[in-house]
Amino acid sequence: MQTFTLSEEDKAQLRHVMEQARTQRERFLDSLRSELDDAITLIDKFDKKYVLGGLGARLLRATPNIYTEMVGDAAGDDALKPDDTIEVILEHAISIATASPNANKGVLPTKGDLEAIYEKLAKVKSNFGFYELTADAPKDGGESDHWIRTMMVQSTMNVRGEGYQRHMKEVFMEVFQPFDGFVSQYYGFTAGDLYDAIAGLDDLVYSKVGNPFGFVKAHDRFRKWSDKVGKEEIGRVMDRVGTHFIRQFTEVNPDLYDEEAPDQFVAQSLDRIASYPTIFWVIPQTDKDKLIYKRLALGFGCNSNFFEPAKFKGFPMNSSEVKLRPLIEEDGKYYHFSTNMGYRNVFKIAEHLIQEADATFHQQSFRGNSNLSSKDNYIEAKVRSQFQKMLPSVAFYSSLEYEIEEDGFSKRPELDVLGVSDGDVYIIEVKAGELNEKHRRGAVMGLKDRIAETIGEGASQCHRALKFIIDSSNPTFEYVEKGVRHTLAFDKTKAIRFHKICVTFEHFSSIAINVEQLVESHLLSESYRETWLLSLYDLMVFADIIESEGDLRDYLQHRMALNTRKDALFFDEIDILGFFLKGNFPLPDAVDGEVSQIIGFKEDIDKYFDTVTVGFPGPPKPVRTQK
């Protein structure tokens, strides 16, 4: 664990810098507009496919895969070239490029031009982040409101995956498969077809890259084609027409055709600018893929809203179509320049298709509680199943009703999940509410309302259930299991420790994890401070990693202590889990002016899930070590 010291003099100097920056904010905005106009003008000078291809190639170099992980620096020119900003920069470039027509087809940029575009967009990203940081505190709000807005904008600006791929696929299938009939009726494909098409886009791109990883992906495509056509039919064509089997394959997969070596797969260099349209050209592999690609595609000039309003033309936080339509279509060809962008937004895309088909069905059947298969009901059931997986010796119950007197009225509230073991009680609320694009762009009032409706209400309901248990002489709950109503008489004499837990479907990232700021913003009551706030995806990580109830009990003890510490800096629940597994708790006593950083401790967890996802031997599951 690293620490840094921030003296009162340092704090005063930082405040002075921010105050000075705020007085120059309009001038800074003019400069930002000028930088962005320069970047847009430079992008428009060239055929945009080559510009986006250059940035896309940079992303490919920065993205780990099995080959780069195994070989490391020995891969030479193919070795990983880390770049924490390229994914965001590329998404911004795609939004800019699709906001206007591709007016200069056939005009190729040089390597110097591509580097200049990257540098300009990187500068815009950095300066835009500082511009947002210097914003005044929201009207009728304080510094905590400013912090919440800043954290939300920074989270939106800096891509962070909400969960690991295996967990995202699991949840996606379980959420959307019950609605396959509805989706198929309107679109001709199922949610599973949509997932497979989006998940397969990256491999279609990688299959043309001239390294061992690319060759494996190209061979995978050939094998699937061969299995579909059949070896006997391939042989008959060779005998009858004389067409080599590779050439038969590339006739239906022309993106892999190599004019100079027609009996081989193409192997393109990421350094060769002329090859970019071929590398990022993706061809639908099935009839359903054709339907899906058409729904996912955006033409140059079809994203003009990104340049509105004129005062903020092309600003990174502007409304853009690219998250719902991650492919670009030109002259009948589809291009996939940003690997991961489609996958990161697969939930948004699928739900948008349902909403676009029938808004009433989306609201009443896909969402809400009236349909047993609804997304909201699923999330509650999923949370219970994850706790059962993590704590198999604990008895869990769902949808428990209990009677209370509140404000002079009799009420019958419901607790989502209750877990009872020998000494520990888990009081769990589940919230399905999500952030919309306005919230993600920092609309403070709406953002605070959504936080209050999810985190705030969930913590409040946990507290209310705990108060009922403590205040009642014989607390009794009622619940329905398999159509039969049951009564649960709670034995208070066995309850030693109570754990209040609020699980959200939305990943609130650094906002939810920093309880201190939530309390200061009055979004969380002081009495709710000892509530564990986490997302469903983070819970799934804990369910896979935590090996005993004792480990979870110890983690929660240290985790709740963090909610009262102002000298600890952390942004990610999985970082804290990694910190715990390495035996770093408890934290040392606070030292005036010294801040402890719990950052960068999830690396082992990341590597474990990355290798598990692809089914490749890798590091063992991280386990707790004692110091």
Side-chain angles (χ1 to χ4, degrees):
M1 179 180 65
Q2 294 182 330
T3 61
F4 65 90
T5 302
L6 200 61
S7 67
E8 290 302 319
E9 183 180 347
D10 292 333
K11 294 177 184 177
Q13 189 173 11
L14 183 59
R15 283 194 297 269
H16 177 72
V17 170
M18 294 302 293
E19 288 166 4
Q20 289 296 109
R22 283 170 177 161
T23 64
Q24 301 293 319
R25 205 159 184 266
E26 274 304 311
R27 197 172 80 176
F28 191 74
L29 178 60
D30 289 339
S31 176
L32 185 56
R33 287 196 197 101
S34 177
E35 292 167 356
L36 192 46
D37 284 342
D38 288 346
I40 293 171
T41 299
L42 189 54
I43 290 171
D44 286 345
K45 282 178 62 178
F46 307 106
D47 188 326
K48 295 175 182 178
K49 297 190 298 296
Y50 295 90
V51 172
L52 298 180
L55 296 173
R58 196 171 191 129
L59 176 59
L60 291 180
R61 293 188 186 96
T63 304
N65 58 55
I66 293 174
Y67 173 61
T68 58
E69 289 294 292
M70 285 181 59
V71 180
D73 292 338
D77 290 341
D78 295 324
L80 192 67
K81 296 176 177 60
D83 186 333
D84 293 336
T85 64
I86 181 56
E87 190 169 350
V88 177
I89 289 171
L90 176 54
E91 184 177 315
H92 188 196
I94 293 173
S95 292
I96 291 171
T98 53
S100 62
N102 189 14
N104 287 303
K105 289 184 183 180
V107 181
L108 275 64
T110 65
K111 287 185 178 181
D113 294 325
L114 293 174
E115 186 65 26
I117 290 170
Y118 171 83
E119 292 296 337
K120 285 181 182 295
L121 291 177
K123 186 177 180 182
V124 166
K125 177 184 179 297
S126 176
N127 288 345
F128 181 79
F130 184 74
Y131 173 75
E132 288 294 332
L133 191 63
T134 61
D136 291 327
K139 187 178 180 181
D140 301 324
E143 284 301 315
S144 291
D145 287 353
H146 179 257
W147 179 88
I148 287 173
R149 182 183 184 280
T150 300
M151 288 297 102
M152 187 74 263
V153 171
Q154 292 297 326
S155 177
T156 304
M157 280 287 295
N158 298 283
V159 175
R160 182 228 190 258
E162 294 185 354
Y164 296 108
Q165 186 172 338
R166 65 180 291 188
H167 295 150
M168 290 184 67
K169 180 177 182 179
E170 179 181 326
V171 173
F172 180 91
M173 292 301 184
E174 291 170 355
V175 167
F176 289 102
Q177 277 187 337
F179 301 94
D180 271 349
F182 175 86
V183 174
S184 181
Q185 175 188 347
Y186 276 89
Y187 298 110
F189 54 82
T190 66
D193 296 328
L194 176 67
Y195 181 92
D196 289 342
I198 290 177
L201 287 169
D202 292 359
D203 283 351
L204 293 178
V205 172
Y206 279 116
S207 65
K208 286 156 284 188
V209 178
N211 63 29
F213 185 68
F215 178 79
V216 168
K217 294 302 178 183
H219 186 266
D220 285 345
R221 287 178 63 182
F222 172 78
R223 180 180 50 77
K224 290 176 183 177
W225 170 82
S226 177
D227 290 345
K228 180 180 178 181
V229 175
K231 293 181 180 179
E232 292 183 359
E233 177 61 22
I234 294 170
R236 278 195 292 267
V237 172
M238 289 182 68
D239 293 339
R240 187 174 65 250
V241 185
T243 306
H244 190 275
F245 63 90
I246 293 292
R247 189 67 189 97
Q248 292 181 51
F249 168 64
T250 56
E251 281 178 354
V252 291
N253 292 276
D255 58 323
L256 282 167
Y257 176 65
D258 188 342
E259 289 184 6
E260 297 179 1
D263 293 341
Q264 298 178 19
F265 301 138
V266 73
Q268 302 282 10
S269 167
L270 292 178
D271 292 323
R272 184 171 177 264
I273 295 172
S275 70
Y276 291 158
T278 301
I279 292 175
F280 295 98
W281 175 22
V282 289
I283 298 175
Q285 301 295 292
T286 67
D287 289 340
K288 289 185 177 180
D289 282 353
K290 292 176 183 177
L291 297 174
I292 293 167
Y293 282 25
K294 187 175 181 179
R295 289 283 172 184
L296 298 183
L298 189 68
F300 290 113
C302 295
N303 190 29
S304 57
N305 284 344
F306 189 68
F307 281 173
E308 301 294 337
K311 180 181 179 181
F312 299 109
K313 177 183 176 181
F315 270 47
M317 298 293 287
N318 285 4
S319 178
S320 178
E321 291 288 315
V322 302
K323 290 183 179 179
L324 293 177
R325 300 168 72 182
L327 299 183
I328 292 179
E329 187 274 332
E330 186 181 61
D331 298 333
K333 291 182 177 181
Y334 298 103
Y335 299 92
H336 176 55
F337 292 107
S338 180
T339 50
N340 293 334
M341 187 165 71
Y343 194 83
R344 286 193 189 281
N345 294 289
V346 64
F347 282 85
K348 291 187 181 75
I349 292 168
E351 184 162 351
H352 176 74
L353 288 175
I354 293 175
Q355 187 175 27
E356 197 173 48
D358 189 330
T360 301
F361 178 89
H362 170 263
Q363 189 62 33
Q364 295 182 358
S365 296
F366 182 75
R367 304 302 299 255
N369 296 312
S370 59
N371 180 1
L372 289 176
S373 297
S374 74
K375 181 180 180 181
D376 294 19
N377 284 329
Y378 160 79
I379 294 167
E380 182 177 320
K382 187 65 174 178
V383 168
R384 175 180 172 175
S385 72
Q386 291 303 298
F387 273 101
Q388 288 173 322
K389 176 182 176 181
M390 178 167 50
L391 306 172
S393 62
V394 178
F396 286 97
Y397 309 89
S398 295
S399 303
L400 304 102
E401 297 178 347
Y402 57 100
E403 294 183 354
I404 61 171
E405 290 285 331
E406 195 172 77
D407 301 325
F409 295 94
S410 295
K411 296 182 179 180
R412 194 173 176 83
E414 183 180 286
L415 174 64
D416 287 336
V417 181
L418 179 68
V420 182
S421 70
D422 189 14
D424 290 85
V425 179
Y426 303 88
I427 300 170
I428 305 165
E429 280 291 334
V430 183
K431 293 299 172 185
E434 297 173 76
L435 298 172
N436 61 32
E437 289 305 309
K438 289 183 179 179
H439 299 149
R440 296 184 190 282
R441 292 196 292 268
V444 175
M445 295 310 296
L447 176 58
K448 289 182 67 175
D449 286 345
R450 186 53 52 88
I451 293 172
E453 293 164 2
T454 50
I455 294 171
E457 187 175 336
S460 172
Q461 290 168 344
C462 285
H463 185 75
R464 180 172 60 187
L466 175 59
K467 188 175 186 298
F468 164 72
I469 293 172
I470 292 174
D471 291 349
S472 303
S473 55
N474 295 294
T476 302
F477 295 90
E478 291 187 0
Y479 64 98
V480 175
E481 188 84 43
K482 296 180 180 179
V484 178
R485 180 167 287 275
H486 299 271
T487 298
L488 174 65
F490 190 89
D491 187 353
K492 291 174 61 174
T493 63
K494 295 182 179 180
I496 301 172
R497 291 166 294 271
F498 292 95
H499 309 288
K500 296 183 292 181
I501 304 169
C502 175
V503 182
T504 60
F505 185 72
E506 179 67 58
H507 199 295
F508 285 94
S509 192
S510 53
I511 292 178
I513 204 170
N514 200 308
V515 170
E516 182 67 33
Q517 296 289 354
L518 294 175
V519 171
E520 290 189 12
S521 289
H522 306 293
L523 293 171
L524 209 62
S525 168
E526 179 66 40
S527 55
Y528 307 160
R529 187 184 287 272
E530 288 196 357
T531 305
W532 188 28
L533 309 172
L534 77 164
S535 74
L536 171 60
Y537 291 117
D538 285 349
L539 173 62
M540 293 175 79
V541 175
F542 278 81
D544 283 347
I545 296 294
I546 292 293
E547 296 193 319
S548 70
E549 186 179 10
D551 281 352
L552 180 64
R553 183 188 304 128
D554 290 348
Y555 177 83
L556 290 176
Q557 178 185 349
H558 296 303
R559 181 65 187 85
M560 292 305 98
L562 282 181
N563 287 352
T564 64
R565 297 284 294 252
K566 296 185 179 183
D567 64 324
L569 184 66
F570 44 87
F571 300 106
D572 192 306
E573 192 71 37
I574 307 305
D575 261 341
I576 302 174
L577 173 60
F579 187 82
F580 169 77
L581 293 176
K582 292 180 184 296
N584 289 317
F585 280 116
L587 290 181
D589 293 339
V591 177
D592 191 38
E594 193 171 277
V595 178
S596 300
Q597 297 185 81
I598 306 178
I599 300 172
F601 287 91
K602 64 173 184 169
E603 183 177 351
D604 291 347
I605 300 173
D606 284 346
K607 287 183 177 180
Y608 169 71
F609 281 108
D610 287 346
T611 53
V612 166
T613 297
V614 297
F616 198 81
K621 183 178 82 171
V623 296
R624 185 182 183 186
T625 58
Q626 300 282 359
K627 287 188 179 179

